[in-house]
Amino acid sequence: ETATQRSKRKKKEMEAKERGGGGAAVAAKESKKGESKKDKDEEEDDGKEAPEPKWPEVKKAMKEKAKELTISRKLEDGEELDLAMFYCSSVNTLKIECGKSLTSLPKEIGKLKNLRVLECEGNKLEALPEELSKLQNLEILRLGRNQIKDLSALKKMNNLVTLVVDNNRLRTLDDFDLGSKSRLITLSANNNEIVDAPSDIGKCTLLTEILLNKNNIEELPGEWGELKEKKVREIDLDDNPIKDSKIKKMMGK
């Protein structure tokens, strides 16, 4: 329902309220019609016919309704990913290794609604598509060794259990909304350019591994004291310019 449709609906509802029950029924009918159209549009979008697979591994996965799919190849100049892979609805584990020839993921990745594990390490991804937020069943996401600068596309992915973003170009984790990741167990962002340690990390009650070595962190916010000692097994802040000697000593333990 667009803003214009919503405005018209509310206007009709107000007019119906003034006239009595008969008008209300008309307004309700119009509202239901708008909702049905929205549902139909979404259904049509999800039901688009899959393109013909170009790569044999994709064709095989589609034919066999595979649960796992690994793409390991070097793309030729101007060559794009075989979009048919994102129509393999049975796949719950996807691994993509295309090296420096892969600089972005297509929006079609949002169609893999059953995906639980996504590994795109060792490529040259510079940004992440907003459509990743549609993968609400995703639990393990590995994006190490890329050129990613921000994690805002992952802000709504609150079911993540493991996030690995080592060796990227991140300067902050604030756009990831760490405090809402109540299921997160492993956070690994080694060798980035992170300046501030996330202050909302204390809300992640299940965290057991916090790996942030080789960054530019100078201080730790007081909220880190809220971490549960019995759950946290490892905190790695080596090779950061932390000034407080007490914190250094504590981290060493």
Side-chain angles (χ1 to χ4, degrees):
E1 186 180 48
T2 65
T4 303
Q5 289 173 331
R6 184 165 57 251
S7 178
K8 289 182 179 180
R9 173 173 59 80
K10 288 184 177 180
K11 184 178 179 181
K12 288 181 179 180
E13 288 175 347
M14 289 296 293
E15 292 174 349
K17 187 175 181 181
E18 293 175 358
R19 291 197 304 267
V26 173
K29 185 177 180 180
E30 289 293 329
S31 176
K32 187 174 181 180
K33 182 180 178 182
E35 291 173 359
S36 298
K37 185 179 184 302
K38 180 183 176 183
D39 292 341
K40 184 179 180 181
D41 290 343
E42 291 179 351
E43 188 179 48
E44 288 177 351
D45 180 64
D46 290 340
K48 286 182 180 178
E49 187 176 349
E52 191 68 26
K54 299 183 296 183
W55 297 343
E57 60 267 49
V58 176
K59 185 175 182 179
K60 181 180 179 181
M62 188 171 285
K63 181 180 179 180
E64 299 179 356
K65 296 185 178 180
K67 298 292 184 183
E68 300 182 8
L69 174 59
T70 297
I71 302 296
S72 182
R73 57 168 63 216
K74 182 179 179 180
L75 301 180
E76 301 297 331
D77 290 342
E79 184 181 10
E80 298 180 348
L81 291 174
D82 185 350
L83 295 183
M85 76 172 78
F86 304 113
Y87 289 79
C88 297
S89 58
S90 61
V91 169
N92 58 37
T93 300
L94 176 62
K95 186 175 183 179
I96 303 176
E97 295 177 336
C98 294
K100 295 181 180 180
S101 56
L102 181 62
T103 59
S104 64
L105 292 172
K107 63 181 182 179
E108 282 82 1
I109 196 168
K111 293 183 176 296
L112 293 174
K113 300 295 173 60
N114 294 317
L115 202 62
R116 293 186 178 277
V117 180
L118 176 60
E119 298 184 12
C120 290
E121 297 190 298
N123 295 294
K124 202 175 180 181
L125 299 179
E126 298 175 0
L128 301 173
E130 293 295 328
E131 285 75 13
L132 275 175
S133 63
K134 296 180 179 180
L135 307 180
Q136 287 300 307
N137 288 313
L138 197 67
E139 296 179 338
I140 299 175
L141 180 57
R142 298 182 181 275
L143 298 168
R145 305 191 311 281
N146 280 287
Q147 301 290 318
I148 299 168
K149 296 180 180 179
D150 76 82
L151 300 177
S152 56
L154 311 181
K155 189 173 183 178
K156 297 179 180 179
M157 301 184 70
N158 297 336
N159 288 318
L160 284 177
V161 175
T162 297
L163 176 65
V164 178
V165 286
D166 300 339
N167 300 287
N168 276 284
R169 299 177 64 185
L170 300 170
R171 292 184 57 82
T172 181
L173 294 176
D174 290 347
D175 50 12
F176 177 53
D177 192 14
L178 188 58
S180 66
K181 308 300 184 291
S182 59
R183 298 187 63 200
L184 197 65
I185 293 176
T186 297
L187 171 64
S188 186
N190 297 318
N191 199 18
N192 277 278
E193 303 168 15
I194 298 170
V195 176
D196 299 316
S199 59
D200 51 355
I201 200 167
K203 297 178 182 179
C204 299
T205 56
L206 298 182
L207 263 180
T208 62
E209 294 178 307
I210 306 167
L211 312 177
L212 297 172
N213 71 52
K214 294 184 180 179
N215 280 286
N216 298 320
I217 299 171
E218 295 185 0
E219 299 179 353
L220 291 184
E223 286 83 356
W224 278 59
E226 299 174 13
L227 292 170
K228 306 295 183 182
E229 292 182 11
K230 291 182 179 181
K231 288 189 177 294
V232 178
R233 295 198 308 263
E234 182 178 5
I235 297 179
D236 188 351
L237 290 168
D238 288 348
D239 296 320
N240 277 283
I242 296 176
K243 298 177 180 179
D244 193 325
S245 58
K246 292 182 178 179
I247 291 178
K248 287 184 178 180
K249 187 177 181 180
M250 180 182 71
M251 291 301 103
K253 293 181 180 180

